[in-house]
Amino acid sequence: IILRDLLARRPDLKVVAMSATVNAELFADYFAKVTGNCPVVEIPGRTFPVQEYRLEDVIEATGYICEPKSEYAKGTGTRQGG
């Protein structure tokens, strides 16, 4: 809402939003309510396969072993910060 209100007061301000997954029509409709015009430029591209890994997969693949006295071991109380 703040950005849309700012666009109403600053006609020289231009906003560029980029996303591969955003609903462009929804955004264009939202901003067009203030500016009266919100052009959308679509640039075709290609998708790339994504491999999803879980922490357990990475630990197994790397052979990582958390030593019991490590600062990262659960319950050691040696962590610093928050």
Side-chain angles (χ1 to χ4, degrees):
I1 293 174
I2 294 171
L3 185 56
R4 189 173 76 175
D5 292 345
L6 184 60
L7 284 170
R9 286 187 251 150
R10 294 273 316 269
D12 60 315
L13 180 65
K14 305 297 180 207
V15 175
V16 177
M18 298 170 42
S19 175
T21 58
V22 73
N23 181 340
E25 186 176 326
L26 181 69
F27 271 78
D29 291 345
Y30 178 78
F31 285 107
K33 290 177 183 175
V34 170
T35 63
N37 181 17
C38 184
V40 175
V41 177
E42 291 188 36
I43 301 172
R46 59 178 190 235
T47 59
F48 295 91
V50 174
Q51 181 66 44
E52 188 174 297
Y53 293 99
R54 304 273 187 229
L55 179 60
E56 296 82 11
D57 301 327
V58 175
I59 290 172
E60 184 178 333
T62 61
Y64 177 78
I65 297 174
C66 185
E67 299 295 331
K69 302 223 183 227
S70 165
E71 67 180 298
Y72 304 109
K74 184 176 179 180
T76 62
T78 59
R79 293 185 194 137
Q80 294 184 4

